[in-house]
Amino acid sequence: MTDPTVTLAHGNGGRAMQDLITGVLVNQFQPQGPTVLEDQARLPLAELLTLGDRLAFTTDSFVVDPIFFPGSDIGALAVNGTVNDLAVSGAIPCYLTCALILEEGLPMDTLRRVVESMARAAQQAGVTIVTGDTKVVPRGGADKLFINTAGIGVMRSGVTPAATQLQPGDVVLVNGPIGNHGAAILVARGELALETDLQSDCQPLHGLVEAIVAVCPEVRAMRDATRGGLATVLNEFADSAQVGIRLLEEQLPVEAAVEGLCELLGLDPLYLANEGKVVVVVPPDRAAAVLAAMRSHPLGTHSQIIGEVTQGSGVYLKTGFGTERIIDRLVDDQLPRIC
Amino acid sequence: MCLGIPGQILEITDGEQKLAIVDVGGVRRGVNIACIVDEDHPVESCLGDWVLVHVGFALNRIDPEEAQITLDMLEEMAALQATLADPPFGPIPAQG
Amino acid sequence: MKYVQEFRDPQKAQGLLAAIRALGDQLTAERPGPIKVMEVCGGHTHAIFKYGLEALLPPTVELVHGPGCPVCIMPRGRLDDAIALTQYPSVILTTFGDVMRVPGSRQSLLQAKAAGADIRLVYSPLDALEIAAAHPDRQVVFFAIGFETTAPSTALTVLQAERQGIENFSLFCNHVLVVPALEALLSHPNLQLDGFIGPGHVSVVIGARPYQVIAERYHKPVTISGFEPLDILQSLGMVLRQLAEGRCQVENQYTRLVQATGNPVALAAMARVFVVRDQFEWRGLGDIPASGLRMHPAYARFDAEAKFTLPHGQVADHRACACGEILQGVKKPWDCKVFGTACTPEHPLGACMVSSEGACAAYYKYGHGRPHPAPPPRRLAQV
């Protein structure tokens, strides 16, 4: 594998493509067994059955720009994003796919870096990337590279979180400061000529979720607050269960630099993306135990109770002044503003 | 209108063009400081200034003494809340 | 954050609120209806809704949300002109995020961008100038919006372009002026306002003096205010205090940033680069004399309106829209027939629904179109 850049030949099914698959992808992802190069992954059912009683199955595509950003990159994001979508169902993530759409001319070193990052992230999350696909599009047909991952996990018996189960009185928690990923990406794009020490919070949540369901298998709902931020997840929750949610502004964890960025650009951290934050809703009598379990996990040391489920509808934020304001769904992406 | 936010001048990057780096809660950005420079306050003395930042310009310096006076007045009000003999909005005529 | 957090302390609001209640009671003892105070500036409107300050006020005191949002008052014809600029193949149009979604008569800048126009979002006009320096083969136009707060920044950017000899940079100038707009409101026979909370950041530039006309000719008190919740409550109290004492003066709550004469460097830059237009159209308010800025003839080479041919179409406001009356304090957003139905933040018909600082958008976003919940019961009767 000595080509300096990706060419259309790497997607045409011939020798160059074979070299790419074996030399870059299989070499890194290290799926096991004699059928590795077949057209499909073959998964042992009996092993999966020892972990739980249902499968969770999800897919997500990753087109982030820039592809490398403070704290992470598109490769780790593609693994963690799908791992987290599985984990928040209460599942143990097991297998991932990896489909790459590469732009002709992409430096091979860039691709290697991304694939290595995917492999590291998969190892950290305890999943194996077992099958995939590679396409190359002419220059300009895609922006550098896009990744799609699908994932399969096994759902632990007796754990059935779902947004429809929220009940008035339930307690809402989050595992740390919000908005870091969205803020880091905004700065990394460079258009606003800003500099911060902010890092994306991109991380796999399976371990934290394990700690949560260990103390509270009856957890009502869990969701990772990615695009659209915390506000979007809470609105989805409230709509699904036809309840209201009241947030406490003074309890919301926001890092100083995220707050500074939001003040400067007129943005709201509630709507900024996260890539390692899970919103958890639990019955009131389990809140203390869950908070303690979350805080004793490395990815949850800054966990907070941020609100409660109420009668009614919609998401409200109780300000420090004792007043309430509606936290609506986002109409459109937040744009920096001057007025 | 007019989102403006306090920041502190960290570094003068180009004295001639009056450009500096300002820090807003850990976010750093290049700003033009022409509006806060005059004979009594040359470029070099802007280092460490707290300024109002708006669209990449330092529009004015924040007067720490005046800020303290406003805060003291707010403190006073909070303390007076119980008694409230005289709602203390002392007239502050705009100078000039 | 220093100079921010300490002015957001809810503990310190109680004293201010008690005083506002007392003054409100005193002032309405012998007149019907509440005292109406307009916060002129959209930044104040934003803060009032963000912190829910209206719900803290007694029923005797009402805030009226003013025309101080340069995005809301941008007439559709000017947006059409901006979009027309992007049809020149050489042009890169640069602007602030605020105007990207504002509808013109056919499309918004965001839609024009999606259709292929080269439109770039910037944080500062200086960034637009950098784009011009990096693309000498293109014409970089900065779509300049904003009140006197923002105008010095674009003026200083033009002066820098001149110094650096960057000739492929120009302004599409849409700067507007606060005091003429207030005078237009004050001249209206239907006006129902008792006083004003003055725009703090505009005043950083122009100073406190230009508001004298409001106090002297129109006999309304003005208090120039900072933007944090305690600033706003304190300023409201100061306006009420003036009313209670029968005074109509220009007072300054924002003393940490506002001086009587404003910022001389900013004013000088504006005077050099801009001249006042005979009139400018405000969405919802119509033509207002001497309320906008255009490029000084000496800087015509940096004037997009001189460099390019533009349609300059006039597009009438929507007939059912009550923005004009809302801005005068005669109507509340929910009194408007189309509020929340035909007119929403996704599809705004009127100026006040356009940006998040407009009164209608704020009520829609934070109150879901409902009148505000009843204020808490009064704890103090009269002092």
Side-chain angles (χ1 to χ4, degrees), chain C residues 90-223:
Chain C
S90 64
V91 166
I92 299 173
L93 186 76
T94 53
T95 192
F96 299 129
D98 310 55
V99 285
M100 291 298 283
R101 267 193 281 273
V102 183
S105 54
R106 283 186 316 283
Q107 55 181 181
S108 66
L109 288 172
L110 210 57
Q111 288 162 330
K113 183 173 157 70
D118 195 343
I119 301 173
R120 304 189 193 179
L121 204 153
V122 292
Y123 165 70
S124 165
L126 291 170
D127 301 347
L129 188 61
E130 270 190 27
I131 293 174
H135 296 85
D137 54 326
R138 303 285 299 274
Q139 285 292 329
V140 174
V141 182
F142 181 66
F143 184 5
I145 60 154
F147 284 90
E148 291 96 327
T149 320
T150 317
S153 320
T154 48
L156 285 163
T157 304
V158 168
L159 294 174
Q160 189 173 327
E162 183 184 38
R163 265 200 315 277
Q164 297 182 330
I166 301 174
E167 298 282 331
N168 63 325
F169 175 79
S170 58
L171 285 192
F172 177 45
C173 182
N174 291 275
H175 288 304
V176 284
L177 304 173
V178 161
V179 176
L182 288 181
E183 284 203 71
L185 275 180
L186 283 161
S187 314
H188 204 282
N190 283 348
L191 180 88
Q192 297 177 7
L193 294 175
D194 298 292
F196 291 92
I197 292 175
H201 289 159
V202 163
S203 308
V204 168
V205 172
I206 67 172
R209 271 187 200 149
Y211 304 98
Q212 283 299 341
V213 61
I214 294 165
E216 283 164 15
R217 190 179 306 161
Y218 299 95
H219 310 293
K220 304 288 180 193
V222 180
T223 300

Side-chain angles (χ1 to χ4, degrees), chain B residues 1-2 29 35 50 52 54-57 59-60 62-64 66 70 73 75 77 81 84 87 89 91-92 94-95, chain C residues 12 16 18 41-43 68 123-124 127 147 149-150 153 201 234 237 241 250 252 255-257 260 263 357 383:
Chain B
M1 89 193 106
C2 321
R29 156 85 206 194
C35 290
W50 279 88
L52 182 78
H54 175 67
V55 300
F57 287 77
L59 269 193
N60 220 352
I62 297 173
D63 184 329
E66 287 293 342
T70 306
M73 214 181 306
E75 292 280 359
M77 303 238 29
Q81 182 202 349
L84 253 184
F89 291 111
I92 313 174
Q95 314 98 313
Chain C
K12 299 203 182 93
L16 289 168
C41 174
Y123 165 70
S124 165
D127 301 347
F147 284 90
T149 320
T150 317
S153 320
H201 289 159
Q234 189 179 29
R241 179 69 173 245
V250 180
N252 181 11
T255 51
R256 61 188 184 273
L257 269 159
N263 184 299
E357 299 209 338
V383 180

Side-chain angles (χ1 to χ4, degrees), chain C residues 333-344:
Chain C
W334 57 80
D335 297 327
C336 173
K337 271 188 290 192
V338 290
F339 174 71
T341 53
C343 183
T344 62

Side-chain angles (χ1 to χ4, degrees), chain B:
Chain B
M1 89 193 106
C2 321
L3 204 65
I5 190 78
Q8 190 173 27
I9 307 277
L10 283 187
E11 184 190 338
I12 309 293
T13 45
D14 184 341
E16 191 132 334
Q17 299 285 337
K18 295 177 185 140
L19 299 177
I21 303 284
V22 73
D23 177 286
V24 176
V27 181
R28 296 173 295 280
R29 156 85 206 194
V31 293
N32 178 304
I33 54 169
C35 290
I36 61 164
V37 173
D38 59 30
E39 280 177 13
D40 299 333
H41 196 73
V43 171
E44 316 80 67
S45 59
C46 294
L47 204 65
D49 279 355
W50 279 88
V51 297
L52 182 78
V53 181
H54 175 67
V55 300
F57 287 77
L59 269 193
N60 220 352
R61 289 204 300 277
I62 297 173
D63 184 329
E65 284 166 28
E66 287 293 342
Q68 196 51 52
I69 290 170
T70 306
L71 281 173
D72 289 347
M73 214 181 306
L74 290 168
E75 292 280 359
E76 230 170 274
M77 303 238 29
L80 268 171
Q81 182 202 349
T83 56
L84 253 184
D86 182 23
F89 291 111
I92 313 174
Q95 314 98 313

Side-chain angles (χ1 to χ4, degrees), chain A residues 32-181:
Chain A
Q32 302 297 318
T35 58
V36 159
L37 292 176
E38 297 290 346
D39 277 351
Q40 67 294 119
R42 302 172 186 193
L43 309 176
L45 274 182
E47 257 175 51
L48 296 179
L49 273 170
T50 62
L51 301 175
D53 57 2
R54 289 148 299 153
L55 287 179
F57 182 31
T58 188
T59 182
D60 208 342
S61 297
F62 299 85
V63 297
V64 65
D65 172 43
I67 56 175
F68 300 104
F69 46 87
S72 195
D73 59 68
I74 191 172
L77 188 64
V79 171
N80 290 336
T82 292
V83 163
N84 291 345
D85 282 347
L86 292 171
V88 295
S89 74
I92 300 161
C94 297
Y95 300 107
L96 258 54
T97 71
C98 166
L100 298 168
I101 295 176
L102 310 176
E103 185 188 14
E104 178 187 21
L106 180 77
M108 197 59 79
D109 281 344
T110 303
L111 177 63
R112 273 206 192 87
R113 250 180 93 186
V114 170
V115 170
E116 280 164 20
S117 173
M118 287 186 82
R120 262 196 313 278
Q123 195 188 13
Q124 198 191 343
V127 296
T128 313
I129 298 172
V130 288
T131 187
D133 178 55
T134 306
K135 295 284 188 300
V136 181
V137 296
R139 189 178 268 274
D143 184 12
K144 296 181 278 293
L145 84 161
F146 299 153
I147 305 176
N148 172 278
T149 55
I152 285 182
V154 179
M155 294 184 70
R156 297 174 176 88
S157 306
V159 179
T160 58
T164 49
Q165 300 177 141
L166 268 58
Q167 290 176 21
D170 285 353
V171 172
V172 184
L173 304 96
V174 72
N175 63 313
I178 57 167
N180 291 46
H181 177 76

